[in-house]
Amino acid sequence: MDLRFTDEENAFREEVRAFMRTACPEPTRRKMIEGRRLAKEDMVGWQRILNAKGWAVPHWPVEWGGTGWSAVKQYIFREEMQATPAPEPLPFGVNMVGPVIATFGNEAQKKRFLPRIANLDDWWCQGFSEPGAGSDLASLKTSAKRDGDHYVVNGQKTWTTLAQYADWIFCLVRTDPAAKKQEGISFLLIDMKTPGITVRPIQTIDGGHEVNEVFLDEVRVPAENLVGQENKGWDYAKFLLGNERTGIARVGISKARVRRLKEIAALERIGDRALIEDERFAMKIAAVEVELKALEMTQLRVLADERTRKGKPDPRSSILKIKGSEIQQTISELLMEAVGPYALPDQVPHDDTERWNEPPIGPDWAGPQAPHYFNFRKVSIYGGSNEIQKNIIAKAILGL
Amino acid sequence: MDFELSEEQRLLKDSVERLLADRYGFEARQGFLREPEGWSRALWQRYAELGLTGLPFAEAHGGFGGGPVEVMIVMEAFGRALALEPYLASVVLGGGAVRLGGSEAMRSAVLPGVAAGERKLAFAHAERQARYDLADVAATARRDGGGYVLDGAKSLVLHGDAADQLVVSARLTGAQRDAQGLGLFLVDAAAPGVTRRGYAMVDGLRAAEVTLANVRVDATAAIGEPGEAFRLIAQVVDQGIAALCAEAVGALAAMHELTVEYLRTRKQFGVPIGSFQVLQHRAAEMLIGVEQARSMAMLATMMAEEGDATERAKAIAAAKVQIGRSARAVGQAAIQLHGGIGMTMEYQVGHYFKRVTAIDTMFGDADHHLARLARMGGLIAA
Ligand SMILES: Cc1cc2nc3c(=O)[nH]c(=O)nc-3n(C[C@H](O)[C@H](O)[C@H](O)COP(=O)(O)OP(=O)(O)OC[C@H]3O[C@@H](n4cnc5c(N)ncnc54)[C@H](O)[C@@H]3O)c2cc1C
Ligand SMILES: Cc1cc2nc3c(=O)[nH]c(=O)nc-3n(C[C@H](O)[C@H](O)[C@H](O)COP(=O)(O)OP(=O)(O)OC[C@H]3O[C@@H](n4cnc5c(N)ncnc54)[C@H](O)[C@@H]3O)c2cc1C
């Protein structure tokens, strides 16, 4: 047992770190540090820098741009990207639909979509959830009926993240209403410009616009946009959701947020001292650091076992999701507590253009903290809620 | 990055686990508790025959040259068995002080006996007023001719009643809470002026209150440089904490397994209670507590011999915080999920609960180490 990284891995870490620090545009990095919302251009710009370097899609098959790195190197890469902090690539393309197309798609689909995903030429969004199908995703109702060489899609998707920017949406649709609920589902790729698609914004409690409702009314989708086989979509969705849980621990991001928390706690005053000198507050920070360190070690243990699992998802990744989300939420609480009363002015632009140039009310680090706290309630809801993760642990690990 | 055990380490793990599975069942343990010493001489003998009592010592001193990983393996197995023998006291703490700080003459005089299980040591450092402050030592060491005269009182000396020799801390100079001015001395438990009052703790392990009145020792009894012992004390305690973390993981994992098994078999309302989601979720939370504790026990093991004292102290403090928190959460849930049966002495789960509760308190509880970690600036540089 040796928990240290090898010399080669450490050298790799240095290489990644050096690249991240010079290549990530400073305005983007500042927004990441300060917890401000990124614009579409920040995401696209950064993805193209990564792609030019050949690091856009490290985990993909090598022939489609993967790097062939070991699981440990992928981990180091992700951690350094998060620690910079640089934006993580938009997950819907590179982590979700990309691997599904690479694994289950046909050659034409691979050629058509994969390079454009890697370069973020196409912005993808995820059309899984529906008003009646959240945790119980397989109860989804959006239907697709075959009509010649098209499917005709009718229904509604919801919580669709950043659909307002999207060029494409991948959807789970019901193609066989008579079959058992998991067995009548297909995986369709839909161009957002197709007639019959309407996107309506949903404002979240932080005031932001990151999710949407997507209405599909007699939308005609070429049959060539079906991935894999008809009625096998649930298998592909399970594959996708399994991938989604890797890296869900967000250790690097949380480390960067703790650093920010300490910066802010050194600037804020309590009585005649900096807040960080206050034993009560310092202990709260230390407590989350302990949890984070334990999570990091747990993640490394799960990672080390990946070699022997041969791609089968590890149910212990549910532990990473639960702990990772709890820690992110705790840090967001502490950031808000740290700024005290100046958490209260409601001053984050409610869309991406309005009120951008006004001077801040109170210290300039205070504004984003309450919205960040509100917004981060989401991390224990999406990606399989923490309750669902506990169900998975009880079943798959404990056999209850 | 490698969490695998080596071939020899796997063999060690197998042999310890097999021995304890055969000989240290719950009923057997209840019997050992009733033996005059409160633990099993026969098992102690077996540990020595298997080489466990010599694990961390150099071959020249009758040992096997093992490191923290080997100690972790043994301690985790002991945690699972709720072993009562003075392993931590004699091999890790007392033996650790001599191994890390003793002169070559002292090491070759003392350690072979410890390795053979014939000589038992104990670590007489903590004092009643000190709570968890390692520097708070009121016992005194006065130079007298070629030797020293020791006076003072030591509290909760783990297995102090069974020890042949005590590793005693005492102050040569400075104020009561100064890190500077401390010495460590190897003292015969039978020396004139040493009195011991042995007792069982809540978890069944033995300890003693020790008083020293005008106890004379030779100059050669000093471990390390007299007056400069604080670093050594801190190092011994850190290694002790790492070992305790591993022991706790063994106990926590066993407690979790017992609970899950009980959820599968206990029926109420006509169904196994494990079919109730509220209990499934608590069992899942327990697993998270166990795994987080295991991760930090591994970190503590890896850092136990780290040369950078600050980095070591931070990691050990963090591990002890996690262990303490998991001990509370997992232990309390284990009792609760068992219902009334969890409350009884006849059933094993409560004994695990008491052991992990004791481990939280030993060498500083979670709050103590959290405050320490915070004072050291935490784990992540700003
Ligand atoms: C900010 C945000 C972004 C999102 N982005 C996307 C996206 O881009 N694309 C997409 O398809 N979806 C997206 N989602 C949807 C997300 O996946 C769902 O919110 C999630 O699956 C939960 O479904 P629900 O909201 O309908 O809650 P419900 O499933 O109705 O759950 C309500 C409560 O009941 C609990 N619960 C449900 N079932 C069980 C059970 N069996 N046992 C115990 N407790 C249970 C849940 O944990 C939760 O606490 C997003 C959600 C949010 C909040
Ligand atoms: C110190 C002590 C004194 C007592 N004194 C008396 C006395 O004087 N007279 C007397 O008659 N009794 C007495 N009792 C018994 C007490 O009422 C029972 O222990 C209690 O009813 C629980 O039953 P149980 O122990 O069989 O646990 P179980 O019912 O087997 O429960 C085990 C676990 O499963 C949980 N559980 C059970 N059913 C469900 C469910 N449907 N949903 C979710 N969780 C569930 C429980 O909360 C518990 O965590 C005493 C118990 C104790 C510990």
Side-chain angles (χ1 to χ4, degrees), chain A residues 92 96 124-137 157-163 169-170 172 204 206 210-212 241 244 375 377-391, chain B residues 277 280-281:
Chain A
F92 310 109
M96 296 187 185
W124 282 84
C125 64
Q126 178 189 21
F128 279 17
S129 303
E130 299 180 3
S135 301
D136 182 14
L137 183 57
K157 296 293 175 182
T158 191
W159 312 124
T160 323
T161 298
L162 301 179
I169 182 170
F170 57 93
L172 292 181
T204 43
D206 55 309
E210 72 182 53
V211 289
N212 303 272
L241 296 171
E244 195 182 354
N375 182 267
R377 306 318 300 167
K378 72 187 177 187
V379 297
S380 53
I381 297 172
Y382 64 27
S385 75
N386 285 16
E387 289 74 26
I388 296 297
Q389 303 299 337
K390 286 177 193 172
N391 291 350
Chain B
Q277 190 183 48
Q280 293 179 354
H281 282 199

Side-chain angles (χ1 to χ4, degrees), chain B residues 40-379:
Chain B
S40 167
R41 282 216 155 259
L43 264 295
W44 185 249
Q45 190 55 41
R46 283 297 293 146
Y47 301 159
E49 286 159 18
L50 278 175
L52 308 185
T53 42
L55 217 44
F57 307 128
E59 285 174 33
H61 301 133
F64 289 86
V69 176
E70 282 75 13
V71 172
M72 175 189 85
I73 289 167
V74 173
M75 290 303 292
E76 187 178 335
F78 283 171
R80 194 168 265 283
L82 284 172
L84 298 160
E85 289 68 34
Y87 189 83
L88 180 74
S90 186
V91 176
V92 179
L93 296 170
V98 174
R99 174 172 63 88
L100 294 165
S103 64
E104 183 46 40
M106 180 187 281
R107 284 187 277 173
S108 26
V110 174
L111 295 181
V114 176
E118 287 153 9
R119 183 196 297 252
K120 291 181 297 302
L121 306 182
F123 187 57
H125 170 58
E127 298 182 5
R128 183 172 179 167
Q129 82 290 343
R131 201 172 172 86
Y132 304 127
D133 180 355
L134 291 183
D136 187 339
V137 173
T140 56
R142 185 162 45 80
R143 282 179 214 273
D144 181 59
Y148 301 88
V149 177
L150 310 179
D151 282 281
K154 296 292 174 179
S155 56
L156 281 144
V157 179
L158 189 62
H159 288 293
D161 55 347
D164 304 296
Q165 289 182 303
L166 304 168
V167 172
V168 175
S169 62
R171 180 168 294 288
L172 290 116
T173 58
Q176 187 183 311
R177 284 187 292 277
D178 287 353
Q180 193 59 35
L182 297 179
L184 273 184
F185 303 91
L186 189 63
V187 179
D188 279 340
V194 176
T195 47
R196 293 179 288 171
R197 179 178 171 204
Y199 49 86
M201 298 192 294
V202 291
D203 56 2
L205 268 72
R206 302 282 306 183
E209 302 291 293
V210 176
T211 51
L212 304 123
N214 228 0
V215 178
R216 290 180 171 277
V217 293
D218 290 345
T220 54
I223 305 174
E225 187 66 32
E228 305 292 332
F230 182 77
R231 284 178 64 90
L232 177 59
I233 292 168
Q235 198 180 356
V236 169
V237 168
D238 280 350
Q239 297 199 356
I241 290 175
L244 272 178
C245 289
E247 184 185 350
V249 166
L252 290 169
M255 203 168 3
H256 182 242
E257 287 158 23
L258 264 179
T259 304
V260 171
E261 190 50 37
Y262 192 75
L263 294 181
R264 282 204 199 101
T265 46
R266 169 71 172 169
K267 284 192 174 158
Q268 287 289 279
F269 304 99
V271 291
I273 57 173
S275 63
F276 300 128
Q277 190 183 48
V278 67
L279 303 187
Q280 293 179 354
H281 282 199
R282 287 203 73 177
E285 286 155 12
M286 287 172 75
L287 178 72
I288 296 174
V290 175
E291 292 302 328
Q292 294 281 83
R294 186 184 295 282
S295 290
M296 290 306 268
M298 286 177 164
L299 180 73
T301 299
M302 180 178 75
M303 296 296 285
E305 293 200 333
E306 166 67 39
D308 182 332
T310 309
E311 286 306 304
R312 188 188 73 223
K314 284 182 178 184
I316 297 285
K320 194 66 171 44
V321 171
Q322 180 65 56
I323 294 292
R325 300 226 155 154
S326 289
R328 289 278 168 95
V330 174
Q332 291 172 1
I335 302 294
Q336 176 66 21
L337 267 52
H338 275 87
I341 194 80
M343 292 294 301
T344 65
M345 277 287 194
E346 285 167 43
Y347 189 73
Q348 201 171 6
V349 75
H351 297 267
Y352 283 118
F353 177 56
K354 291 196 284 183
R355 180 62 191 142
V356 298
T357 302
I359 288 175
D360 176 28
T361 300
M362 289 175 74
F363 298 118
D365 61 15
D367 263 13
H368 167 78
H369 285 286
L370 190 58
R372 241 181 106 221
L373 180 61
R375 279 195 297 277
M376 292 187 282
L379 294 165

Side-chain angles (χ1 to χ4, degrees), chain A residues 4 262 289 298 301 391, chain B residues 1 264 281 291 295 380:
Chain A
R4 284 164 304 200
K262 288 183 170 182
E289 288 181 87
T298 305
R301 288 170 49 214
N391 291 350
Chain B
M1 182 62 51
R264 282 204 199 101
H281 282 199
E291 292 302 328
S295 290
I380 298 169

Side-chain angles (χ1 to χ4, degrees), chain A residues 129-201:
Chain A
S129 303
E130 299 180 3
S135 301
D136 182 14
L137 183 57
S139 67
L140 61 93
K141 290 204 176 70
T142 296
S143 69
K145 287 206 184 71
R146 190 71 185 246
D147 177 25
D149 51 7
H150 282 77
Y151 287 99
V152 181
V153 180
N154 280 289
Q156 183 195 338
K157 296 293 175 182
T158 191
W159 312 124
T160 323
T161 298
L162 301 179
Q164 70 266 38
Y165 302 144
D167 304 298
W168 285 81
I169 182 170
F170 57 93
C171 284
L172 292 181
V173 293
R174 191 160 298 285
T175 34
D176 182 355
K180 263 181 47 192
K181 63 180 183 177
Q182 283 88 352
E183 287 166 14
I185 293 172
S186 298
F187 197 108
L188 264 192
L189 312 177
I190 305 178
D191 187 334
M192 287 293 279
K193 291 186 293 295
T194 321
I197 297 181
T198 316
V199 177
R200 192 187 76 83

Side-chain angles (χ1 to χ4, degrees), chain A residues 307-355:
Chain A
R307 270 169 293 180
T308 52
R309 297 188 60 88
K310 298 193 181 71
K312 275 208 340 226
D314 187 336
R316 286 182 305 173
S317 62
S318 293
I319 296 179
L320 305 179
K321 165 69 186 0
I322 293 169
K323 263 295 151 197
S325 57
E326 288 176 354
I327 289 169
Q328 291 178 75
Q329 291 178 333
T330 304
I331 297 169
S332 76
E333 277 175 61
L334 293 180
L335 278 160
M336 182 178 66
E337 283 179 29
V339 302
Y342 273 106
L344 297 183
D346 183 12
Q347 55 180 333
V348 166
H350 281 189
D351 66 41
D352 288 338
T353 51
E354 187 189 321
R355 288 201 274 153

